[in-house]
Amino acid sequence: MYLIGNISIYLGIAISLYGIIANLTGLKKKSSKWLESARGAVLSLAFVSSISSFLLLYLLGTSQFQYKYVASYTNESLPMAYKLTAFWAGNAGSLLLWAFLLSIYAAMVVFSKEKKNPMMPYVSSILMVNILFFFTVMALNVNPFEMTDKIPADGKGLNPMLQNPGMILHPVTLYMGYVGLAVPFAFGIAALILKKMDSEWIKLTRRWTLLAWLFLTLGNVIGGWWAYLELGWGGYWAWDPVENASFLPWLTVSAFLHSVMIQERKNMLKTWNVSLIILSYILTLFGTFLVRSGVLTSVHAFGDSNLGTYFLVFMAFMMLFSLYVVMTRYGLIKKESSPIEAYFSKESTFLLNNLILVAAAFAVFWGTMYPLISETFTGTKVNVGAPYFNKVMAPILLVLIVLMGICPLIAWQKAVFEKFMKNILWPLAMGIATAILLFVFGVKGIYAIIGLSATSFMFGTHLLEFARGIGARRKATKENILKAAFKLTVKNQRRYGGYIVHIGIALIAVGVISSHSYSTEILKTVDAGNSIKIGEYTLKFNELTEHMKNGNGVVAADVDVTYKGKDIGKIKPEKIFYETWPEPSTEVAIKTNWSQDLYVVLSSWENKDKVTFMVKVNPFVSWIWMGGIIMVIGTAFALIGGRPASIRYQTNKFAGR
Amino acid sequence: MKKKIFVATFLCFILIPGLTSAFTYNSKEFKHVITQLDMQGHADHDLSTCSIKKIYYDEVVEMLNGGKSEPEIIQSYVDEYGQAALRTPGGGTSGWIAWGMPAAGFGIGTVIVGVWIRKLTLKKAEVNVEAKAGWDSEIEKEIASKTFDEERRKLF
């Protein structure tokens, strides 16, 4: 096993090196044999990384504690699901996962319908440089198949915080997003190297980019959900440096997904688009550097090795290489760019949208790095925590929401102001009505009211767009509403998929604004039989019980809950005591209804009859998870829609577009 | 004299509970102070499992009950740990840079995008002048118009 594992890693290095050389030789000699061989190398890499990944899974699943990685992150009593997910609990495993996903993606790209595309040798070379890096780091620094000096009787076990279904999904989805961005990056660079300044690379990578964005979205939402359930502080997003690191590429890819539409339709923003995808890719490396370097304090940091240096060097190399390619082709890109028609047009609002998203990314980046910057230049450490980000990001995201409401109503090329005003009337009325209703019902907090009204306006715009589309279709085809709605969305999946995503964002915005502004919290010690009142809820503490679960000691409080005087059942907030972990783990009890969450943490106890609870009522938090699901559905809908890139490109080429 | 003693006793009964009303974790003042403290990076931890956060909580309650005002408590932490005691950048040059940079970045970005759109629009105006004589004949224009209509119909 030891030999197979190590050989697979060294083979990974050798094959990726060979693949790059074969591609370069094939390009130089114009030899299809060499290029074919390089394609074979990509397939072999997928095979080799699969072997090492499945081998590590086998070692974890069968508790082979002679391997350092297995002994560090699992133990005998760990349930099988968590033994296997320990794959990405540490540095070595997560790097192997990265290499595995990347090699699978590379094989899919290289053996796609586009395999004869002249860009492909460059694309596969760039992807193989990435794979080479990961295998090299594993071989030199964090080998997942490293043996222990003395075989322990049992392993150290997995961090209790990672023993949650959210943690099975969150890292994998994020990695799939991170890794997925390497594909459009590789195509972008390949197009620049070949001096192909048309939009072919964008069309070829649209689905890859959307897929990466979908996984980044999913990863962030699941991460928030996990934090809410598992960390026990009652929030879902703490603006931790590593959370920010995954949010940064999400913001820039969001900008990219919007601005490529302009390039596809108008042949504009070429430099901007290629820069955005390079930036997004570099940010994925930056995120990984942050997690592994330990330069910033974070709850997510692995931080016990010098991996950060490797990532810093690789990041610098990729950045300089990309910069060189862009600079040497800059004149050519500029020459082939088309101009904009009017200030008041969809193109302009898309540019504005890009500006806001990039500004948001800059603000997050600045806030994340400022503690380091201030300490380096002034010697004084300054913290930049959640209150800073909330204050800075609130206006930026508010403008973004307003823009999302305005943008669909503005026409391409040149919009007519009178028509725009006519279109905006109903959504605007909806936004104003929301503000009035909130005010009438005694809702306080002017900023929250502004935010919720803006969200309502944005939602109204999208509702109107759907209504108008269905109306127009019904007028033309005489179909019933359902059929018209179905056919309209199916025939324009890209457009309506995007609108569905926006509706998901509106739900998330309602959840975030409400839970930030109207959350209530109480920390109270009660005797058995006594109650705690918070909002419309009454919690009656009955007793504290002790039992064993999966070999761990559990202390649980038995609590009856009533809502508006009506019994809504029992909850059991718990503390779990793991043998292998010094701190007990918190199991939060949550009662959810459509408008709020009752969030209860068993804080401490003096004896069986005297317990302290931390109780929170968080409004509309479930809307955040629902919004996330809708965003994923919308992205998937847009992803499967439209003609395949190859056909679309050929058609456009034939039509001279 | 009896009257004075009676009034003084009465006042004592009214004021003493007010003076001795203890601050707790649920007090508004406590929450206001605690949300500003970084607690050595433990601010977002679960109170029930984080011993450092617990120490900070107890200290702040003790200081409030000891008669210290909110700014005094904050200042005492800043005196001890410097700016790192707080969750957000405070005053001074460093604070100004931290808060001002996103706004400056946004402002500079706006100017760049503004200039960019203007440049692109001007370029289009030049192109439009050349493109005005684009249609060779009315028939060609009509064919193009019919093609657009056909494309539009396809959408439905």
Side-chain angles (χ1 to χ4, degrees):
Chain A
M1 294 287 178
Y2 172 78
L3 270 180
I4 299 173
N6 280 285
I7 288 172
S8 65
I9 285 175
Y10 288 104
L11 263 180
I13 297 174
I15 297 170
S16 35
L17 261 176
Y18 168 76
I20 296 162
I21 294 166
N23 266 329
L24 296 179
T25 315
L27 285 168
K28 200 176 173 192
K29 292 187 174 175
K30 293 195 169 95
S31 154
S32 58
K33 266 190 180 176
W34 276 101
L35 295 180
E36 197 65 44
S37 178
R39 248 202 310 275
V42 175
L43 197 65
S44 312
L45 271 176
F47 180 67
V48 162
S49 65
S50 304
I51 287 181
S52 39
S53 301
F54 286 112
L55 186 64
L56 184 60
L57 281 174
Y58 172 77
L59 298 176
L60 289 164
T62 52
S63 300
Q64 311 266 338
F65 297 127
Q66 65 271 35
Y67 291 91
K68 257 188 186 170
Y69 192 77
V70 181
S72 302
Y73 298 103
T74 63
N75 62 359
E76 287 285 5
S77 60
L78 202 63
M80 183 54 85
Y82 295 122
K83 276 186 185 177
L84 298 179
T85 51
F87 191 155
W88 45 86
N91 266 326
S94 58
L95 291 187
L96 179 58
L97 176 71
W98 194 305
F100 168 68
L101 291 173
L102 193 54
S103 57
I104 298 290
Y105 275 21
M108 283 164 76
V109 169
V110 168
F111 285 90
S112 68
K113 279 182 192 164
E114 295 297 324
K115 61 183 171 199
K116 299 285 178 198
N117 192 305
M119 275 191 262
M120 209 47 91
Y122 298 97
V123 171
S124 84
S125 298
I126 294 164
L127 291 175
M128 278 193 280
V129 168
N130 279 273
I131 298 170
L132 173 67
F133 167 72
F134 282 99
F135 274 115
T136 311
V137 171
M138 276 188 275
L140 295 178
N141 200 278
V142 280
N143 188 338
F145 302 105
E146 198 181 338
M147 304 284 270
T148 50
D149 300 326
K150 196 179 159 198
I151 304 171
D154 200 1
K156 284 180 191 163
L158 189 65
N159 184 337
M161 286 198 297
L162 304 180
Q163 296 179 38
N164 177 281
M167 265 296 130
I168 299 177
L169 298 168
H170 166 65
V172 187
T173 44
L174 264 188
Y175 282 153
M176 285 173 88
Y178 273 9
V179 174
L181 284 180
V183 179
F185 165 77
F187 270 97
I189 296 290
L192 284 175
I193 292 172
L194 283 169
K195 298 181 180 172
K196 291 186 78 161
M197 299 306 146
D198 55 20
S199 305
E200 186 189 3
W201 74 273
I202 279 174
K203 285 165 182 162
L204 290 174
T205 56
R206 181 186 155 260
R207 283 188 170 147
W208 283 103
T209 317
L210 263 179
L211 196 72
W213 191 81
L214 182 145
F215 282 121
L216 279 178
T217 308
L218 206 57
N220 280 320
V221 173
I222 295 173
W225 178 66
W226 165 77
Y228 188 62
L229 292 183
E230 201 61 26
L231 297 185
W233 57 280
Y236 40 83
W237 192 266
W239 296 104
D240 177 88
V242 178
E243 289 173 0
N244 295 348
S246 64
F247 190 44
L248 281 169
W250 187 89
L251 286 167
T252 52
V253 178
S254 302
F256 177 73
L257 283 171
H258 287 89
S259 62
V260 289
M261 281 190 248
I262 306 181
Q263 187 172 339
E264 276 190 87
R265 278 170 180 260
K266 300 279 165 188
N267 205 29
M268 287 164 55
L269 308 182
K270 288 174 180 173
T271 324
W272 178 243
N273 284 330
V274 89
S275 308
L276 267 182
I277 201 63
I278 291 170
L279 180 68
S280 305
Y281 167 76
I282 297 292
L283 284 173
T284 65
L285 295 178
F286 170 74
T288 322
F289 159 73
L290 270 192
V291 185
R292 281 151 226 286
S293 61
V295 291
L296 293 167
T297 319
S298 159
V299 287
H300 294 74
F302 291 84
D304 58 348
S305 67
N306 56 350
L307 262 180
T309 320
Y310 287 87
F311 273 90
L312 198 63
V313 171
F314 185 62
M315 198 166 72
F317 167 73
M318 287 312 245
M319 214 149 71
L320 289 173
F321 171 67
S322 311
L323 208 65
Y324 168 76
V325 180
V326 172
M327 293 308 279
T328 49
R329 268 78 177 161
Y330 187 70
L332 207 62
I333 309 172
K334 291 297 282 180
K335 215 168 97 183
E336 292 186 19
S337 278
S338 301
I340 210 166
E341 183 102 356
Y343 292 113
F344 194 48
S345 62
K346 204 183 273 290
E347 292 91 316
S348 298
T349 54
F350 269 39
L351 271 177
L352 209 58
N353 147 298
N354 263 239
L355 167 72
I356 308 280
L357 284 165
V358 174
F362 174 70
V364 175
F365 178 81
W366 178 252
T368 309
M369 296 308 289
Y370 193 69
L372 195 68
I373 297 169
S374 70
E375 202 168 7
T376 311
F377 290 102
T378 64
T380 317
K381 197 187 170 204
V382 174
N383 286 315
V384 180
Y388 170 89
F389 287 102
N390 291 338
K391 275 186 190 149
V392 169
M393 293 300 282
I396 297 177
L397 297 180
L398 180 73
V399 176
L400 194 66
I401 285 173
V402 172
L403 205 60
M404 277 160 73
I406 292 173
C407 202
L409 303 173
I410 295 180
W412 287 95
Q413 274 187 319
K414 194 177 180 181
V416 180
F417 188 71
E418 287 74 23
K419 205 176 168 193
F420 166 74
M421 285 312 288
K422 210 176 139 189
N423 287 338
I424 208 171
L425 211 64
W426 280 109
L428 206 58
M430 203 165 152
I432 293 168
T434 306
I436 293 169
L437 276 174
L438 290 172
F439 192 71
V440 167
F441 282 109
V443 177
K444 290 192 171 73
I446 187 71
Y447 297 115
I449 292 176
I450 291 170
L452 291 170
S453 308
T455 310
S456 168
F457 159 70
M458 186 263 263
F459 181 71
T461 298
H462 288 81
L463 216 61
L464 185 74
E465 279 292 294
F466 272 98
R468 276 173 44 186
I470 294 167
R473 191 177 166 88
R474 287 191 72 200
K475 206 173 163 186
T477 61
K478 313 283 180 219
E479 290 165 344
N480 66 44
I481 290 185
L482 285 176
K483 196 176 174 186
F486 177 74
K487 288 215 163 173
L488 176 84
T489 45
V490 166
K491 282 197 174 241
N492 302 279
Q493 274 175 260
R494 283 180 70 172
R495 181 180 181 188
Y496 289 102
Y499 286 170
I500 294 170
V501 171
H502 285 184
I503 289 171
I505 292 174
L507 293 186
I508 292 180
V510 171
V512 171
I513 296 166
S514 307
S515 60
H516 265 279
S517 311
Y518 305 113
S519 178
T520 48
E521 182 187 324
I522 187 167
L523 194 82
K524 199 167 179 181
T525 306
V526 278
D527 294 317
N530 285 357
S531 299
I532 299 172
K533 272 186 184 287
I534 182 165
E536 310 264 24
Y537 293 93
T538 306
L539 290 85
K540 188 182 160 221
F541 166 57
N542 297 320
E543 58 172 343
L544 201 67
T545 56
E546 285 176 41
H547 62 273
M548 294 295 283
K549 195 162 77 181
N550 298 328
N552 305 309
V554 178
V555 176
D558 183 88
V559 181
D560 289 327
V561 185
T562 58
Y563 178 64
K564 291 182 179 172
K566 223 170 136 184
D567 180 26
I568 54 165
K570 274 187 188 304
I571 51 164
K572 288 197 176 211
E574 295 176 346
K575 279 273 181 286
I576 305 177
F577 292 84
Y578 292 85
E579 274 189 22
T580 50
W581 216 257
E583 290 288 340
S585 158
T586 301
E587 285 299 309
V588 176
I590 300 175
K591 277 268 177 202
T592 301
N593 68 31
W594 72 274
S595 63
Q596 58 194 0
D597 279 8
L598 173 72
Y599 186 97
V600 185
V601 176
L602 172 60
S603 212
S604 61
W605 54 91
E606 277 178 31
N607 52 54
K608 272 190 154 188
D609 297 321
K610 203 177 180 85
V611 169
T612 304
F613 293 103
M614 194 269 273
V615 188
K616 286 189 90 166
V617 175
N618 295 325
F620 295 101
V621 172
S622 56
W623 287 41
I624 298 173
W625 322 132
M626 187 51 71
I629 294 168
I630 290 175
M631 279 175 81
V632 169
I633 292 171
T635 318
F637 192 68
L639 195 64
I640 53 171
R643 285 171 293 170
S646 50
I647 298 173
R648 202 168 56 241
Y649 182 68
Q650 290 305 327
T651 319
N652 288 348
K653 215 169 160 187
F654 183 71
R657 271 175 274 178
Chain B
M1 186 63 187
K2 265 185 183 176
K3 204 177 169 184
K4 276 181 183 171
I5 292 169
F6 175 76
V7 170
T9 315
F10 180 74
L11 280 174
C12 278
F13 270 111
I14 293 173
L15 292 173
I16 285 171
L19 290 171
T20 56
S21 68
F23 288 97
T24 66
Y25 289 175
N26 297 316
S27 309
K28 218 168 143 187
E29 296 81 357
F30 169 79
K31 284 183 180 170
H32 191 236
V33 173
I34 217 76
T35 49
Q36 295 177 60
L37 299 176
D38 182 61
M39 297 177 241
Q40 290 162 270
H42 296 259
D44 285 327
H45 288 186
D46 173 10
L47 177 67
S48 59
T49 52
C50 182
S51 51
I52 292 172
K53 189 170 182 173
K54 185 91 176 61
I55 293 168
Y56 272 88
Y57 266 55
D58 291 340
E59 273 179 6
V60 172
V61 164
E62 205 180 304
M63 282 193 253
L64 280 169
N65 285 326
K68 274 194 174 180
S69 67
E70 290 176 39
E72 280 172 345
I73 297 171
I74 297 289
Q75 194 53 49
S76 70
Y77 280 110
V78 174
D79 291 343
E80 196 172 346
Y81 299 107
Q83 279 298 307
L86 305 177
R87 294 191 84 188
T88 52
T93 320
S94 191
W96 276 106
I97 294 171
W99 288 102
M101 202 60 174
F106 182 70
I108 293 165
T110 311
V111 171
I112 292 170
V113 169
V115 171
W116 193 9
I117 293 178
R118 191 174 155 74
K119 213 169 141 188
L120 286 169
T121 317
L122 287 174
K123 203 171 158 190
K124 180 70 189 177
E126 286 164 24
V127 173
N128 272 345
V129 173
E130 291 164 23
K132 270 198 172 162
W135 299 111
D136 281 344
S137 67
E138 278 302 306
I139 298 166
E140 203 177 300
K141 196 177 174 182
E142 206 182 318
I143 291 168
S145 155
K146 276 186 180 167
T147 314
F148 291 146
D149 272 350
E150 188 58 35
E151 285 293 318
R152 216 169 283 142
R153 212 168 294 133
K154 273 184 197 166
L155 276 175
F156 293 106

